[in-house]
Structures are given as structure tokens and as C-alpha cells.
Amino acid sequence: MILLEDVVKVYPLRSGEAKVLDNINLRVAPTEKLGILGRNGAGKSTLIRLISGAERPTSGSITRHMSVSWPLAFAGAFQGSLTGVDNLRFICRIYGTTTEDKIPFVQEFSELGRYLYEPVKTYSAGMAARLAFAISMVVEFDCFLIDEITAVGDSRFHAKCHYELFEKRKDRAMILVSHDAGFIREHCDHAAVIIQGKLHSFEQIDDAYHFYHEHVG
């Protein structure tokens, strides 16, 4: 289970402070699939980063009783001077898993070819995102965090991602951020809406979309 209690996230600005998340309370059970809705800048990606541990809340607590992925396709943790395969080795070492048996999958899935052995700082954003997604699939988690992952690659690559994530790992918990109503309806059990830093949770996805359009348009 993942439990957020009274989570607040504040970012400093030159003109003062911006409270992005305001007393967020959320519970995600094993195998549960939750969709997060909100307009651009509402705090959806911030919430995902906090749940992943990439950032810390300003106040409140986040308790994780299951392993949680980094945001899929998030390449911000890569060391740019290291090659793709060296970043893979480093991440596998952090998570206590073997590396050499995972290189063939990462090379084939990411479609990086010889660039897997080049420094990540030479990659395009798309190449880095494909590498990040591929590595996410070789380190197993109980809960996957998905922040607009369908933006990675072309339609053929989307199909590969879909199979690896939603077919092979359909028994895992997932927290998905997307503006695509069909995507949320297809993959989620419940949905929540972030508006002005507040999280509004709904059992029925259609109720969440009705609330979202009523308050955001």
C-alpha cells in the first residue's frame, strides 16, 4: 500500500512561494490502478515525483509498503557522462539485481543499437526516454508510475510499451497521469482530480471526468 497523509509541496519563487499541492491524502492498494487528472501546471507530475521519492514533500508523510518505480520514461536520474549500458549497470546495482542478463532486452527494446554504448548526454530526449522505459521493465516493481508515457516514440513503440506494461504486468498497481480520457478509462479502476492544489477522489471514472470538465472546462 502507498499512503499519503497531509502532503504539502511548496516551491520558492522570487516573488514568494507557490503551493503546488495542499494537504493531499491518498491511499493506493496493491493491484489498484488510479488515474490522475488535472490541467497543465496543476501538480500532477509533482505528485508523481513525490510518490516515486524523486522529490520530498514540504510537509506531511508518504509511506510505501510496496516497491515503487520512478516515473516511467523519466531520464532525469541518468549520469550524462556514462554510457547507456553503464547507467543500466548503476541502476541495477542500486536495486540489487543482476545486469549482464538484462543488456540484450534493454538494447533490443530501446532500439538504441550501438548508441547504448555511447554517453547518455549525446542522446536525444526520445532516446533517453526509450532507455529509461526499457530499464524500468527490467527492474520489477509492485507499483508503476506513469506520467504521459504514451508520448514516447512512435505508434509501433507505443504498442511495445503497452504490451510490456499493461499485459505482462497487469497484476501490478499503477498510478497514471494522462489527458487522454480513453487511456484512463481503459487502464484505471478509479480516478482523482487535482484542482488548485487539492486532490478530489472518485470511485467512478465518469464522475471524475464530469467534475474535471465542470471545474476546469
Side-chain angles (χ1 to χ4, degrees), residues 137 140 144 164-165 167-172 174:
M137 295 298 99
E140 294 294 344
F144 285 93
E164 283 292 330
L165 188 57
E167 296 298 329
K168 292 179 67 174
R169 293 164 178 81
K170 60 185 178 182
D171 61 334
R172 314 299 171 83
M174 296 182 187

Side-chain angles (χ1 to χ4, degrees), residues 201-217:
S201 299
F202 298 87
E203 284 295 315
Q204 301 299 320
I205 293 175
D206 285 344
D207 291 342
Y209 271 100
H210 177 75
F211 179 86
Y212 176 71
H213 289 301
E214 186 178 64
H215 290 79
V216 177

Side-chain angles (χ1 to χ4, degrees), residues 4 7 9 11 20-21 24-26 34 36 42-53 55 62 71 145 147 175 177 192 194 199:
L4 280 69
V7 168
K9 184 62 178 179
Y11 289 107
V20 178
L21 299 175
I24 300 294
N25 290 280
L26 178 66
L34 173 70
I36 305 290
K44 304 184 302 299
S45 295
T46 298
L47 179 60
I48 287 287
R49 291 195 299 272
L50 292 178
I51 294 172
S52 75
E55 293 189 39
I62 301 176
L145 306 178
D147 190 354
I175 302 174
V177 168
I194 298 179
L199 187 72

Side-chain angles (χ1 to χ4, degrees), residues 4-10 19-26 47 50 57-61 194-201:
L4 280 69
E5 297 180 286
D6 300 324
V7 168
V8 173
K9 184 62 178 179
V10 176
K19 182 180 286 188
V20 178
L21 299 175
D22 186 6
N23 288 307
I24 300 294
N25 290 280
L26 178 66
L47 179 60
L50 292 178
T58 304
S59 63
S61 65
I194 298 179
I195 296 179
Q196 295 180 344
K198 299 288 188 180
L199 187 72
H200 306 266
S201 299

Side-chain angles (χ1 to χ4, degrees), residues 180-201:
D180 186 335
F183 187 72
I184 293 290
R185 287 191 175 96
E186 180 181 1
H187 298 297
C188 296
D189 306 314
H190 314 291
V193 182
I194 298 179
I195 296 179
Q196 295 180 344
K198 299 288 188 180
L199 187 72
H200 306 266
S201 299

